[in-house]
Amino acid sequence: MRYYISLLLFLFIGANYGTAQTTVKMSAVKANNYGVAYSLPKTSLVITVDYTKKTRKAGEFFQYAERYLSISNPITEDAVSYTLDKIDATTKGVVDKDKSYLVEFRSNTTSPFVTLTKDGLICAINDDYTFPKEEIRGDAPVASAVLPNPRSFLSEEILRAGSTAKQAELIAKQIYRLRESRNNILTGDADNMPPDGNAYKLVMTQLEEQEKALTAMFAGMETIETGTREFTVIPDDKNIDNRIIFRFSSKLGIVGADDLSGSPVALTLKNKEPREAQVLTPKEEKELEKKFSAGIIYNIPGKAALQISYNGRNYVQKDCDIVQYGVQDVLVPKMFDNNKLPVKVIFYPDMGAIKQIIQ
């Protein structure tokens, strides 16, 4: 018989915390009638999207860029653009609220225990469980450095200049003086050389920052930022055909699935091993119910073909295990009656499937 019960009761009665921070060890003792509650997962698809945002900002004096600084291709208008860099998809188990059970061990069994995740997903029976190290994504690229406000470097003469053309001319002369000062320090010809290495680095950094900030007033400035978004899809037991997860626009980036300003990013998931529905006789139904009324119920996931496409290109195309496309089976209680050598069972917590049985 199946029980849909809260795990809270058992977390307070006879619960022992295991060595791993992400698991809880539940002992089947007299206080809880030798029963342990556990849950099985269903599969969710976690779609990770990496994108780049490029912002171009025209300089205040772009029309004088070639005349005074020989810059032939300055940015002449503000613009923002996005590019879709990468789409990846992984599977992750989430608790299936409709798949919570109570497993009852025999009272004469030698101290049986079940290792669970903190969410109640089954990890192991009569053994500890250590999660494999998660794959660490590479360091996120840093956004382009933000230049200081160039107007903070402008002299009173420049600020009081009567025309835009005159201001541009004076700023260009200041840029050339900064370059000359830096070259003099590099060659050792400066009248006041930095006294030590730290002072040298500081002065050169400040000169470079000022030059870049002032030059941007002519050439314009381009900044590049990277970002990541995640979307979660929990399939049912049916195929998914070109479901739009989100849309992507070169001008707006990631937008909602219903926002027609972007092109669709679509997901297709197909069961590779579809099973025909079985028609059972009343006797067979009764036997099946009896089988599932005791013991440890576990999942046997099914194989699925996953595809995620955008603008005619398949960014993701791979096979994956989907619990919802599979079936369930039972480990009979008699397996755990050996007091001298208790059977150990290791599961895949994200799937609720058996990984290894150790006798």
Side-chain angles (χ1 to χ4, degrees):
M1 182 177 178
R2 301 184 184 188
Y3 292 81
Y4 300 94
I5 32 182
S6 168
L7 290 173
L8 272 184
L9 176 63
F10 294 98
L11 289 176
F12 285 104
I13 301 177
N16 297 308
Y17 288 87
T19 54
Q21 293 182 354
T22 52
T23 60
V24 178
K25 188 184 293 184
M26 307 292 298
S27 296
V29 294
K30 187 176 181 180
N32 54 28
N33 295 320
Y34 301 97
V36 174
Y38 69 96
S39 294
L40 291 177
K42 54 185 173 182
T43 303
S44 68
L45 298 171
V46 181
I47 296 96
T48 306
V49 186
D50 295 336
Y51 63 91
T52 297
K53 177 184 178 182
K54 183 185 293 185
T55 303
R56 290 166 62 87
K57 188 172 179 60
E60 185 177 346
F61 304 106
F62 71 86
Q63 65 268 41
Y64 302 103
E66 187 166 14
R67 182 194 302 181
Y68 292 127
L69 296 178
S70 299
I71 298 173
S72 59
N73 57 342
I75 298 172
T76 59
E77 59 181 358
D78 296 349
V80 177
S81 63
Y82 292 82
T83 54
L84 184 59
D85 302 325
K86 181 182 178 183
I87 302 177
D88 196 10
T90 57
T91 57
K92 182 180 179 181
V94 294
V95 175
D96 188 340
K97 295 180 181 179
D98 295 328
K99 299 290 175 60
S100 294
Y101 307 101
L102 177 71
V103 55
E104 295 181 358
F105 293 94
R106 298 179 188 274
S107 59
N108 61 351
T109 308
T110 304
S111 302
F113 67 91
V114 179
T115 302
L116 308 172
T117 68
K118 289 186 177 181
D119 292 332
L121 296 176
I122 193 165
C123 298
I125 298 174
N126 292 328
D127 202 3
D128 295 321
Y129 186 88
T130 302
F131 282 91
K133 291 183 179 180
E134 293 185 5
E135 182 180 349
I136 300 175
R137 288 172 62 91
D139 294 337
V142 180
S144 302
V146 178
L147 295 176
N149 183 1
R151 290 197 162 271
S152 63
F153 304 125
L154 301 184
S155 64
E156 182 180 356
E157 180 187 6
I158 296 173
L159 294 173
R160 291 172 65 88
S163 67
T164 301
K166 185 62 176 178
Q167 279 189 326
E169 180 185 357
L170 294 174
I171 293 171
K173 288 181 178 180
Q174 186 170 337
I175 292 172
Y176 286 120
R177 285 196 295 270
L178 288 170
R179 292 177 181 175
E180 184 179 1
S181 297
R182 189 172 61 179
N183 287 335
N184 288 339
I185 293 174
L186 285 170
T187 59
D189 294 333
D191 294 334
N192 296 307
M193 289 293 293
D196 54 41
N198 289 333
Y200 174 86
K201 290 181 182 178
L202 179 61
V203 170
M204 295 298 282
T205 298
Q206 290 177 344
L207 289 173
E208 184 177 2
E209 281 188 351
Q210 289 184 38
E211 182 187 338
K212 284 183 177 180
L214 294 175
T215 302
M217 298 182 80
F218 295 85
M221 184 168 56
E222 181 179 281
T223 57
I224 296 176
E225 305 169 71
T226 59
T228 299
R229 284 276 302 274
E230 278 191 358
F231 297 85
T232 299
V233 175
I234 301 179
D236 53 25
D237 59 354
K238 299 178 178 63
N239 289 336
I240 298 174
D241 187 22
N242 282 322
R243 179 190 297 179
I244 298 175
I245 313 167
F246 62 94
R247 291 175 182 265
F248 193 85
S249 164
S250 60
K251 294 182 178 180
L252 301 174
I254 294 174
V255 296
D258 298 328
D259 190 336
L260 299 182
S261 64
S263 299
V265 176
L267 179 147
T268 296
L269 187 71
K270 292 186 178 180
N271 189 346
K272 297 187 69 174
E273 303 165 346
R275 295 176 174 84
E276 294 184 4
Q278 291 183 325
V279 179
L280 302 178
T281 64
K283 181 180 179 181
E284 289 173 331
E285 285 185 356
K286 191 172 182 179
E287 290 176 350
L288 189 64
E289 184 178 348
K290 182 179 179 181
K291 175 183 176 182
F292 277 82
S293 65
I296 294 94
I297 300 173
Y298 63 93
N299 292 328
I300 303 176
K303 285 287 183 184
L306 172 63
Q307 177 180 296
I308 300 177
S309 58
Y310 168 69
N311 273 356
R313 172 186 168 188
N314 292 332
Y315 280 76
V316 175
Q317 193 162 19
K318 62 182 179 181
D319 291 346
C320 55
D321 294 309
I322 303 292
V323 168
Q324 293 88 313
Y325 288 172
V327 295
Q328 291 185 310
D329 209 339
V330 178
L331 293 175
V332 295
K334 290 178 63 176
M335 286 182 58
F336 305 96
D337 287 350
N338 190 334
N339 290 333
K340 295 181 180 179
L341 191 62
V343 171
K344 297 179 180 180
V345 183
I346 313 297
F347 293 86
Y348 293 103
D350 269 350
M351 292 187 290
I354 293 175
K355 180 179 181 181
Q356 186 179 16
I357 297 178
I358 304 171
Q359 295 182 322

